[in-house]
Amino acid sequence: MKSLEDLKRIREQAQAQIKLRTQEANTKIIVGMGTCGIAAGARETLMAILDELSKRNIQDVVVTQTGCVGLCEYEPLVNVVKPGQPKITYMKVTPERARQIVASHIVNDQIINEWVLSTEEGA
Amino acid sequence: MAIIRTNVLICAGSACVSSRAYDFKTALLEALEEAGIKEEVNVVDTGCIGTCDLGPVAIVYPDGIFYVHLKPEDAKVIVNEHLLKGRVVNRLLYQQPMTKEVFPSLSEIDFIVRQKRIVLRNMGVIDPESIEEYIAKEGYQALAKALTMSPEDVIDTVKKSGLRGRGGAGFPTGLKWELTRKATGNPKYVICNGDEGDPGAFMDRSVLEGDPHSIIEGMMIAGYAVGASKGFFYVRAEYPLAIKRIENALEQARSYGLIGENILGTDFSFDIELRRGSGAFVCGEETALIASIEGGRGEPRPRPPYPANRGLWDSPTVINNVETLANISPIILNGAEWFSSTGTEKSKGTKVFALAGKVNNTGLIEVPFGTTLGEIIFDVGGGIPGGKKFKAAQTGGPSGGCIPAEYLDLPIDYESLKQIGAIVGSGGLIIMDEDTCMVDVARFFLEFTQSESCGKCPPCRVGTRKMLDILERIVNGEGEEGDIERLIELGEEIRRDSLCGLGQTAPNPVLSTIRFFRDEYEAHIREKRCPAKSCRALIAYQVIPDKCRGCGICARVCPVGAAQGKPREIYHIDTGLCIKCGDCFAKCPFGAIEKADLVLEKV
Ligand SMILES: Cc1cc2nc3c(=O)[nH]c(=O)nc-3n(C[C@H](O)[C@H](O)[C@H](O)COP(=O)(O)O)c2cc1C
Ligand code: SF4
Ligand code: SF4
Ligand code: FES
Ligand code: FES
């Protein structure tokens, strides 16, 4: 390392590595991962979301999981919580739907109404 | 490549390692492999989170879930439930000892919420063995910034911040640097004092283990400021993990060119060596430490001249404590005003304490100066266990004094503690409850300093021996009228006439307990009675007949057959045989055994 620029470069590279521990969570995406969720393909959905976020280099979104919520026939379920907005629950989220949710809801703030199962105020 | 969606940070501090954190880690890696999600989860070591009694501990990000008391067999459950299905494993969460409330996330628990973490900023966040992660958390940015400033400006910033030395004496750090810069003589040196001799203290060890690069960076900034190009770590040999992490960090910094010649393309060059200390308490004293690095005997010499003028190999030398150095980078990066906005009028910033003794949450904590003892004990520490009453706290270890209950609301800083005869010290903080005998506490610390006296000067060597003899007589019920006065007189002589800080401060625990608990000394001397019922020679174990159910457990646990009786009848204890181990007292299921004053027994 010979200069400030070198240090900056290493820093930017390394920040991705610790991002999960330090980021301030603005938006949260929560994937239902109960037994039937997993059977319905929730893991593929989760991975598609992570892949899409990383392709688009979106930094301030936290992706977590939750257990069974008792709505098995609508699985895989995905919740999106944006600050100051109601919690949106999407149903039957295939990997393809998941990518579109990221593109539309996360990036452009456009909720995809036809897949919405429920909307919960104050979440 | 799969995308990493979760980070599991496992504490790899000494305490957690000795409670088998690495076995848990191995089990976790195996369980991840088995579940086929190894690629998605990054398992990382991190520095001491402070909750060492709860170890091994781990944090799962991004949610920040905090798991405690982890066993290897818990790894599978965490993987299958939490990491695969998103269900937090409730039975492994932290439970507040008093309220039994359960807290899932680290950032919510009382122990952490009440802290302000400047020195401990990276503990639980980064891997101490990864320079890249340190750099990601602003690491070496302060050095880069300092190199664009003039050395005088760096010193000025540290002066204005109000930072004072955390090694015990509280000397203003900026001023120390200025004196060293202005001193004539070349080359100049920087020393990091990581001797940490206070028994029961582990602040410096934890920081060296958990964030070694932050100390390296602090030393380099000190070097640039005073015009030194060589630094030394002095770390006690009993800290093998700290030594390993420092050596690893030095190697990484060297390979990145962050230490060496022409750092970051500037004229500044700096290198650092590590020296192991033998672990003698006196070697933490700066002149003794310097003698020890030079290869001589670790004995103090009179000051002045101070190390700033004549230190290592007679050259001007800055010697700073680990925690002092950990504060440097944040000060340079965020500015003097940012730092001085925390703390009190004359004590700026935070202090790290090793909270120990009779308190629910023990461990490593960092709080702003001006926090009260009560806040530390009851808010951060979660109160006194077993519904007992708080009696006093000992700060500054063997060089310090006690703070009695009437000062629970006193804001803690250098001045306030000095006024009541205690000191901030390096950060040992021992909480004592009503069962603690203050005469015995004084005896304990004096025994320590007496045995650590290097023997070079008679007031310290002989004087502490005389004081210890008196204290031993008192706790054995052989105290005499006039002993208290003799202790005070001896104490003041030793304070005045000793060569180094060890002797000068050795009488403090005695003088301070006499100041606040003179009645306890008097009870031992005049009535041969220990009010806390702790001194073995002055108590007798006895059965309370009304409470005894004749279960016979006491007779079974007693190692010498002193607890006697027939099943379902009232038992009794033969005081002549009893060796006062207290086993029966601890084991009686009905609380039917009490500690009584021995004198009363005899009548
Ligand atoms: C007996 C004795 C033991 C000491 N032990 C330590 C120690 O373990 N660590 C430490 O940093 N300072 C210790 N000191 C204080 C050092 O002499 C010195 O003041 C300190 O390292 C200066 O650093 P600071 O200004 O950053 O606090 C000790 C002093 C005495 C008298
Ligand atoms: S253990 Fe307690 S209750 Fe049982 S016999 Fe001994 S004193 Fe009595
Ligand atoms: S204190 Fe120990 S020695 Fe004495 S009676 Fe109880 S168990 Fe026996
Ligand atoms: S397991 Fe998914 S809703 Fe029940
Ligand atoms: S060593 Fe693990 S919490 Fe302190």
Side-chain angles (χ1 to χ4, degrees):
Chain A
M1 192 181 308
K2 278 277 147 270
S3 66
L4 216 71
E5 278 63 48
D6 293 344
L7 183 64
K8 211 182 248 167
R9 193 171 36 76
I10 295 169
R11 178 163 151 232
E12 273 155 20
Q13 283 167 4
Q15 264 167 349
Q17 203 171 321
I18 65 161
K19 179 185 101 194
L20 290 172
R21 307 166 215 166
T22 50
Q23 68 194 358
E24 296 286 316
N26 281 325
T27 298
K28 261 188 161 180
I29 303 180
I30 306 153
V31 184
M33 298 285 275
T35 312
C36 73
I38 292 176
R43 276 193 51 76
E44 289 72 22
T45 303
L46 173 71
M47 296 323 282
I49 293 172
L50 290 165
D51 184 55
E52 196 63 31
L53 287 173
S54 119
K55 271 190 193 148
R56 293 170 180 271
N57 197 19
I58 298 171
Q59 299 288 346
D60 58 345
V61 175
V62 166
V63 183
T64 61
Q65 299 150 273
T66 185
C68 170
V69 289
L71 292 163
C72 306
E73 67 263 43
Y74 300 107
E75 294 275 9
L77 295 170
V78 171
N79 301 311
V80 175
V81 189
K82 287 198 155 192
Q85 291 180 19
K87 170 166 128 185
I88 306 294
T89 303
Y90 290 104
M91 57 183 172
K92 297 190 175 161
V93 184
T94 57
E96 295 70 48
R97 283 187 175 185
R99 288 181 195 276
Q100 286 184 49
I101 290 169
V102 171
S104 165
H105 190 161
I106 302 295
V107 178
N108 293 320
D109 237 346
Q110 294 296 314
I111 297 169
I112 308 178
N113 285 312
E114 57 175 308
W115 304 333
V116 172
L117 178 67
S118 67
T119 305
E120 194 182 317
E121 288 297 336
Chain B
M1 190 191 88
I3 297 152
I4 292 171
R5 59 181 173 87
T6 297
N7 282 186
V8 181
L9 272 82
I10 300 178
C11 174
S14 279
C16 285
V17 169
S18 62
S19 56
R20 300 175 55 215
Y22 284 127
D23 290 350
F24 171 77
K25 183 179 174 181
T26 310
L28 185 72
L29 290 172
E30 276 167 17
L32 286 170
E33 174 95 68
E34 207 172 300
I37 55 168
K38 206 174 156 205
E39 308 289 302
E40 303 160 30
V41 179
N42 198 6
V43 179
V44 183
D45 289 354
T46 192
C48 170
I49 293 156
T51 54
C52 311
D53 283 353
L54 304 175
V57 297
I59 317 168
V60 180
Y61 289 103
D63 354 27
I65 303 298
F66 181 52
Y67 288 125
V68 303
H69 294 307
L70 292 166
K71 295 194 185 54
E73 49 280 22
D74 297 327
K76 242 193 174 125
V77 186
I78 291 179
V79 170
N80 290 335
E81 289 296 304
H82 186 165
L83 301 180
L84 266 176
K85 298 181 188 164
R87 286 198 289 240
V88 171
V89 186
N90 284 311
R91 70 173 172 85
L92 297 173
L93 297 175
Y94 166 80
Q95 194 183 41
Q96 213 283 341
M98 301 283 267
T99 61
K100 304 287 171 214
E101 213 179 324
V102 168
F103 293 93
S105 112
L106 179 66
S107 55
E108 282 167 9
I109 72 177
D110 50 354
F111 182 77
I112 298 287
V113 173
R114 307 291 183 130
Q115 299 192 36
K116 181 176 172 95
R117 299 186 143 211
I118 297 175
V119 172
L120 305 179
R121 60 192 179 276
N122 287 331
M123 317 286 265
V125 182
I126 64 166
D127 178 354
E129 301 201 359
S130 162
I131 190 172
E132 292 82 10
E133 294 200 358
Y134 179 69
I135 291 174
K137 275 285 307 271
E138 313 295 312
Y140 292 106
Q141 294 290 315
L143 173 69
K145 182 172 173 188
L147 292 178
T148 65
M149 300 160 69
S150 72
E152 288 77 10
D153 284 347
V154 172
I155 291 176
D156 208 45
T157 305
V158 176
K159 272 172 96 174
K160 284 201 180 116
S161 75
L163 175 66
R164 296 168 66 171
R166 304 294 195 236
F171 191 83
T173 305
L175 182 58
K176 189 183 265 190
W177 289 12
E178 185 174 65
L179 293 170
T180 313
R181 174 154 194 92
K182 288 188 174 154
T184 47
N186 255 316
K188 294 179 180 176
Y189 297 103
V190 175
I191 298 175
C192 167
N193 188 343
D195 191 60
E196 195 161 55
D198 176 351
F202 56 94
M203 304 76 57
D204 295 346
R205 185 194 73 201
S206 297
V207 176
L208 290 171
E209 283 173 5
D211 200 10
H213 285 286
S214 71
I215 311 303
I216 294 176
E217 192 178 1
M219 287 171 78
M220 297 180 74
I221 295 170
Y224 176 71
V226 305
S229 55
K230 177 98 198 191
F232 289 90
F233 270 103
Y234 188 86
V235 182
R236 54 176 46 220
E238 294 105 281
Y239 285 178
L241 192 57
I243 289 172
K244 180 178 152 234
R245 299 247 165 93
I246 294 167
E247 280 175 339
N248 172 68
L250 286 174
E251 201 173 300
Q252 290 175 340
R254 226 171 259 133
S255 75
Y256 266 120
L258 281 166
I259 42 184
E261 304 283 313
N262 300 103
I263 292 159
L264 293 171
T266 65
D267 295 342
F268 178 60
S269 300
F270 200 79
D271 207 348
I272 301 179
E273 267 180 50
L274 184 136
R275 293 292 163 94
R276 290 172 176 76
S278 63
F281 181 48
V282 77
C283 283
E285 195 280 335
E286 52 192 27
T287 61
L289 187 153
I290 287 170
S292 166
I293 294 184
E294 289 169 348
R297 282 184 60 160
E299 281 182 4
R301 61 154 176 80
R303 299 176 311 170
Y306 288 92
N309 288 305
R310 280 185 58 190
L312 193 56
W313 293 297
D314 287 336
S315 282
T317 303
V318 161
I319 173 160
N320 275 131
N321 168 258
V322 170
E323 190 184 332
T324 313
L325 291 165
N327 277 298
I328 299 298
S329 302
I331 290 174
I332 297 298
L333 269 185
N334 304 315
E337 288 74 30
W338 166 82
F339 187 78
S340 63
S341 67
T342 300
T344 62
E345 171 80 38
K346 288 186 175 157
S347 306
K348 300 302 188 188
T350 60
K351 181 75 195 80
V352 179
F353 289 103
L355 188 60
K358 301 293 177 59
V359 60
N360 276 314
N361 304 325
T362 56
L364 200 66
I365 63 164
E366 180 174 359
V367 292
F369 276 113
T371 305
T372 68
L373 182 61
E375 286 165 338
I376 293 180
I377 297 173
F378 296 100
D379 297 342
V380 181
I384 314 284
K388 298 273 182 181
K389 252 185 30 219
F390 167 72
K391 184 174 197 172
Q394 174 82 16
T395 59
S399 313
C402 65
I403 312 175
E406 62 249 47
Y407 290 108
L408 272 174
D409 293 331
L410 182 77
I412 291 183
D413 69 12
Y414 289 102
E415 278 68 33
S416 68
L417 290 195
K418 196 169 169 193
Q419 248 172 25
I420 61 166
I423 57 168
V424 170
S426 60
L429 183 56
I430 301 170
I431 309 303
M432 297 172 283
D433 69 3
E434 52 190 299
D435 295 339
T436 316
C437 169
M438 299 311 287
V439 185
D440 195 46
V441 166
R443 188 203 54 79
F444 169 82
F445 283 116
L446 198 69
E447 187 175 44
F448 175 81
T449 31
Q450 209 289 317
S451 68
E452 292 287 335
S453 168
C454 74
K456 188 170 176 177
C457 61
C460 174
R461 186 185 65 229
V462 183
T464 54
R465 182 72 252 172
K466 281 190 190 157
M467 284 182 84
L468 186 58
D469 287 345
I470 298 177
L471 286 168
E472 276 169 353
R473 274 199 290 105
I474 296 177
V475 297
N476 280 317
E478 292 153 9
E480 294 160 11
E481 212 50 57
D483 275 350
I484 300 180
E485 291 70 22
R486 264 189 291 279
L487 283 172
I488 296 175
E489 207 176 298
L490 277 165
E492 275 161 5
E493 260 173 52
I494 299 169
R495 247 187 193 174
R496 194 185 55 229
D497 301 336
S498 292
L499 173 65
C500 89
L502 188 147
Q504 287 158 9
T505 59
N508 287 355
V510 182
L511 297 174
S512 132
T513 47
I514 292 179
R515 173 168 171 181
F516 293 114
F517 297 95
R518 196 176 180 118
D519 54 330
E520 285 195 28
Y521 280 83
E522 286 166 353
H524 283 76
I525 295 169
R526 294 184 188 151
E527 304 163 41
K528 312 296 174 209
R529 185 172 67 82
C530 172
K533 300 214 167 57
S534 142
C535 292
R536 278 189 188 194
L538 303 180
I539 56 161
Y541 285 91
Q542 62 187 35
V543 175
I544 310 168
D546 286 354
K547 287 194 178 170
C548 177
R549 307 262 191 97
C551 70
I553 287 178
C554 54
R556 232 174 299 145
V557 299
C558 178
V560 293
Q564 303 161 348
K566 291 206 185 89
R568 286 178 300 282
E569 285 176 23
I570 294 170
Y571 277 63
H572 73 278
I573 290 169
D574 184 331
T575 324
L577 288 178
C578 175
I579 53 166
K580 297 173 190 173
C581 67
D583 283 359
C584 58
F585 176 79
K587 291 282 157 60
C588 172
F590 306 102
I593 295 175
E594 65 176 353
K595 293 191 256 182
D597 296 327
L598 185 59
V599 224
L600 295 176
E601 265 283 294
K602 279 183 192 151
V603 203

